[in-house]
Amino acid sequence: MRKVVVEKKILIANEEFANKNREFLSRLKLPCLNVISSPGSGKTTILTKTIEALKGKVKIGVIEGDIQTDIDTQRIKVTGAPAYQINTEGACHLSAAQVSYAFGKLPCETLDLVFIENVGNLVCPSALDLGETAKIAVLSVPEGDDKPAKYPAIFSRAAAVLINKIDLLVPADFDIEKAKVDILKLNKDVKIFPLSAKTGDGLQQWNKWLTELVQKTKRA
């Protein structure tokens, strides 16, 4: 019984910080995207390519979540974008309190868009509210086209799904149409972007969607 009470208190505290984050982002008219995927899906590569493509058009900051190391943060900083590292020391997801603290370490008043690169995990991060504008799911081709059916929570909640590494469709025997159908069964309003961060294929459509999101948020 005590475990249930403790977990409830944790969730209530997280909700309070999530609401605080929402208010902060709303005041600044700053969209914030929580990027969720399995480890090795290519989240960081997608972000570095996105930052480079939108340089001079959209000012982007990144909150990096990992269990250990700041390897991904250093990759982001090479692009010139501001980034802040959160190490969870074993936790499988970021919390709203951690994100709230990270906002204070970024020059949010000068940014147009913030990415949260969550800990690599398709399960835990999908359920926790960070106060973000939207969740973004990344599914990489080598993982298999059955993942939307096996891990429906994130795909049902995502505003956009990036199917990355489409340059490996043939060797991975990945049925992209099946994956799309399964995703749309869960979430009819989701935007799906097949792309390859390695070759650049499909990134233009993703970047266009981001630019439109930023413009829409500023007009709101």
Side-chain angles (χ1 to χ4, degrees), residues 21-87:
N21 292 343
R22 252 186 297 278
E23 292 171 4
F24 174 78
L25 295 168
S26 177
R27 178 169 56 82
L28 293 183
K29 294 189 173 184
L30 179 63
C32 176
L33 301 177
N34 181 8
V35 185
I36 297 171
S37 79
S38 297
S41 67
K43 293 192 300 296
T44 310
T45 302
I46 290 171
L47 292 185
T48 57
K49 293 294 182 70
T50 299
I51 292 166
E52 289 165 355
L54 295 179
K55 194 169 290 186
K57 302 173 186 176
V58 178
K59 297 177 183 176
I60 297 173
V62 180
I63 297 170
E64 280 288 346
D66 273 305
I67 291 175
Q68 292 286 351
T69 81
D70 65 347
I71 293 171
D72 290 343
T73 292
Q74 294 308 317
R75 290 178 62 192
I76 296 294
K77 287 183 175 180
V78 168
T79 69
Y84 182 77
Q85 178 70 46
I86 300 173
N87 288 132

Side-chain angles (χ1 to χ4, degrees), residues 8-218:
K8 187 175 181 181
K9 287 182 179 179
I10 291 171
L11 290 174
I12 290 172
N14 187 82
E15 186 177 342
E16 290 173 353
F17 273 104
N19 288 331
K20 176 183 175 182
N21 292 343
R22 252 186 297 278
E23 292 171 4
F24 174 78
L25 295 168
S26 177
R27 178 169 56 82
L28 293 183
K29 294 189 173 184
L30 179 63
C32 176
L33 301 177
N34 181 8
V35 185
I36 297 171
S37 79
S38 297
S41 67
K43 293 192 300 296
T44 310
T45 302
I46 290 171
L47 292 185
T48 57
K49 293 294 182 70
T50 299
I51 292 166
E52 289 165 355
L54 295 179
K55 194 169 290 186
K57 302 173 186 176
V58 178
K59 297 177 183 176
I60 297 173
V62 180
I63 297 170
E64 280 288 346
D66 273 305
I67 291 175
Q68 292 286 351
T69 81
D70 65 347
I71 293 171
D72 290 343
T73 292
Q74 294 308 317
R75 290 178 62 192
I76 296 294
K77 287 183 175 180
V78 168
T79 69
Y84 182 77
Q85 178 70 46
I86 300 173
N87 288 132
T88 65
E89 306 295 337
C92 60
H93 57 76
L94 295 176
S95 70
Q98 290 171 320
V99 170
S100 180
Y101 181 81
F103 282 149
K105 298 297 181 178
L106 291 176
C108 290
E109 290 78 5
T110 68
L111 298 177
D112 300 313
L113 174 65
V114 173
F115 283 109
I116 301 168
E117 184 177 349
N118 220 312
V119 179
N121 189 321
L122 277 177
V123 182
C124 302
S126 66
L128 206 65
D129 181 13
L130 302 182
E132 70 272 56
T133 306
K135 289 178 171 63
I136 306 296
V138 179
L139 168 64
S140 69
V141 166
E143 295 174 65
D145 52 32
D146 58 351
K147 293 305 175 288
K150 286 185 173 181
Y151 300 93
I154 180 55
F155 296 100
S156 65
R157 293 170 178 158
V161 174
L162 280 57
I163 302 178
N164 189 29
K165 305 186 184 180
I166 58 171
D167 50 301
L168 299 176
L169 283 173
V170 174
D173 195 23
F174 185 99
D175 187 339
I176 195 166
E177 294 307 319
K178 175 185 181 298
K180 287 180 180 179
V181 167
D182 286 346
I183 292 166
L184 291 170
K185 281 180 183 176
L186 296 165
N187 185 351
K188 64 181 177 62
D189 298 319
V190 70
K191 301 293 183 182
I192 301 175
F193 298 97
L195 56 84
S196 169
K198 180 179 179 180
T199 67
D201 289 347
L203 282 172
Q204 186 174 358
Q205 290 81 1
W206 160 242
N207 291 334
K208 182 175 182 289
W209 185 80
L210 290 174
T211 303
E212 290 173 351
L213 173 65
V214 169
Q215 292 170 347
K216 180 181 178 181
T217 305
K218 287 184 180 298

Side-chain angles (χ1 to χ4, degrees), residues 2-12:
R2 184 176 178 180
K3 181 181 178 182
V4 174
V5 172
V6 170
E7 287 179 351
K8 187 175 181 181
K9 287 182 179 179
I10 291 171
L11 290 174
I12 290 172

